[in-house]
Amino acid sequence: MTQSGVESSLKGRSLLEDADLTKEQYVGLLGLSERLRHEKRSATERERLRGKNIALIFEKSSTRTRSAFEVAAYDQGARVTYLGPGESQMGHKETVRDTARVLGRIYDGIEFRGYAHRDVQLLAEYSNVPVWNGLTDTWHPTQLLADMLTIRDHCTKPLEEVKLAYLGDARNNTANSLLCAGALLGLDVRMGAPTHLQPAKEIEMIARDLARSSGAAIAITTNVQEAVAAADFIYTDVWVSMGEPTESWSERIDALRPYQVNSDVMQASGNPDVRFMHCLPALHNTDTDVGAQLHEQYGLDALEVTDEVFESAASIVFDQAENRLHTIKALLVATLTGV
């Protein structure tokens, strides 16, 4: 299938989880992202979404996802309505189904960032317009589009030869998407985590099914050295959430301390060109309210990654953040116009 054929195959489609895309469609979106990024940087961008209206539903606050969806839409000539936490009746006085049927008659597409994955599924089922998952408790597919574009930017190898290690809490939405997107695209994916924070069995089964078709290698281990050996990229995510009771933090932090990404872990890869990745925000110092609270309670200067690694030349976290814009823009263009 040609590049234009890949894009047209996505017209009218939703993206709720990573496996909603074929490998060819996924790679096609990355190629479109690169072209749109070039257009923006060279001031040659043309508006493909003029006249389109997009609803942005945020049950959770956001920096990168909201910014990327809004600027992507504006750059392409679309208009957006932001519905923040508590600003719609969805799930309170109106069912998700009813909200979907209303918004689908008004908007050309809907982004959802919230909690229950079933909610974004219902929006897609009943709205009859493309729906994009900006994050649920189970999946974070728009993050992984940006991550895979960043990996292509920083590695001369084809994706099928890339070794990607993830350390820390491997039972969250970003880890789920990383495992399954990596499996879909044929990467060598290693997940290093304590046993009780390793991917759920149903997520692992999805990834292994995808790997059978793509030739991906999947390893899930408690051993940090095994996970990072010869890795091209080492990825981590936050250990604690502000949505969790603080009394649960101590147990999680104790379990995850051996999985902190520090200079020793980067060196353990044996790859002098290894890169560090994080979806952000990161607790890499004590300069935030949460960082200061954690330092006061546990005496830690950093959690999942040290400041030394985060601020090093190996860190490509802000390239990831920027690429949220370009990949989300490609997703909007492909699913709303097919061109």
Side-chain angles (χ1 to χ4, degrees):
M1 188 182 294
T2 64
Q3 177 69 49
S4 60
V6 169
E7 292 159 15
S8 63
S9 74
L10 291 170
K11 186 176 181 180
R13 294 275 301 277
S14 294
L15 178 62
L16 308 185
E17 56 190 75
D18 308 83
D20 286 342
L21 300 172
T22 65
K23 180 178 181 180
E24 192 172 32
Q25 289 170 333
Y26 206 115
V27 173
L29 277 176
L30 298 182
L32 178 58
S33 302
E34 290 170 338
R35 296 202 306 279
L36 293 174
R37 181 174 62 187
H38 172 75
E39 287 185 12
K40 183 172 177 67
R41 290 176 175 177
S42 62
T44 59
E45 190 164 4
R46 61 184 179 88
E47 296 180 345
R48 298 163 176 86
L49 299 179
R50 181 174 292 276
K52 300 293 185 182
N53 293 286
I54 296 169
L56 305 177
I57 303 174
F58 281 76
E59 293 181 345
K60 294 182 175 182
S61 60
S62 168
T63 299
R64 281 152 294 279
T65 301
R66 177 180 176 179
S67 299
F69 268 98
E70 288 192 349
V71 174
Y74 295 149
D75 280 354
Q76 285 292 308
R79 296 176 290 269
V80 303
T81 301
Y82 173 77
L83 297 169
E87 292 186 346
S88 80
Q89 298 298 336
M90 191 176 82
H92 301 288
K93 294 173 65 177
E94 184 171 58
T95 67
V96 178
R97 293 179 179 86
D98 291 351
T99 300
R101 287 181 282 198
V102 170
L103 296 182
R105 290 173 178 240
I106 299 173
Y107 293 96
D108 300 289
I110 301 168
E111 180 274 347
F112 175 80
R113 179 183 176 93
Y115 297 91
H117 189 67
R118 181 59 179 156
D119 287 347
V120 78
Q121 291 174 319
L122 289 170
L123 286 170
E125 182 178 353
Y126 285 92
S127 67
N128 293 314
V129 298
V131 173
W132 312 288
N133 179 0
L135 176 144
T136 62
D137 287 348
T138 311
W139 302 105
H140 200 356
T142 56
Q143 176 65 52
L144 262 294
L145 281 168
D147 294 340
M148 291 302 172
L149 179 60
T150 308
I151 286 171
R152 293 215 318 187
D153 291 340
H154 286 273
C155 193
T156 58
K157 298 178 182 178
L159 289 174
E160 293 83 358
E161 295 179 15
V162 168
K163 296 178 175 62
L164 173 60
Y166 177 94
L167 297 181
D169 179 0
R171 194 176 275 248
N172 65 23
N173 43 30
T174 297
N176 291 345
S177 281
L178 183 146
L179 181 61
C180 291
L184 174 70
L185 295 173
L187 279 69
D188 179 343
V189 184
R190 300 88 169 275
M191 311 293 285
T195 302
H196 68 288
L197 292 175
Q198 291 178 357
K201 288 300 178 185
E202 56 269 28
I203 302 297
E204 183 182 349
M205 288 177 61
I206 293 170
R208 293 198 182 279
D209 283 343
L210 292 168
R212 277 191 279 273
S213 298
S214 69
I218 293 174
I220 299 173
T221 178
T222 59
N223 189 295
V224 171
Q225 282 68 36
E226 286 180 9
V228 304
D232 298 297
F233 300 89
I234 298 176
Y235 197 127
T236 192
D237 195 3
V238 292
W239 292 353
V240 298
S241 168
M242 292 308 291
E244 296 175 334
T246 56
E247 55 267 24
S248 70
W249 288 6
S250 179
E251 182 181 349
R252 287 176 60 81
I253 290 170
D254 286 345
L256 289 167
R257 281 193 195 203
Y259 299 89
Q260 182 189 67
V261 181
N262 51 41
S263 58
D264 289 341
V265 167
M266 297 292 283
Q267 291 172 9
S269 70
N271 179 2
D273 297 318
V274 66
R275 296 289 182 261
F276 170 72
M277 303 181 73
H278 194 304
C279 57
L280 303 182
L283 292 170
H284 59 96
N285 59 28
T286 60
D287 293 348
T288 63
D289 292 341
V290 179
Q293 181 182 349
L294 289 164
H295 179 71
E296 182 179 346
Q297 288 185 235
Y298 306 105
L300 296 173
D301 293 330
L303 280 194
E304 70 275 7
V305 58
T306 61
D307 199 55
E308 179 184 13
V309 171
F310 187 89
E311 297 291 355
S312 72
S315 177
I316 54 175
V317 299
F318 296 109
D319 289 345
Q320 290 175 261
E322 180 193 340
N323 280 335
R324 297 295 305 281
L325 168 62
H326 308 302
T327 49
I328 284 172
K329 188 182 294 183
L331 181 63
L332 297 182
V333 168
T335 56
L336 291 177
T337 73
V339 294

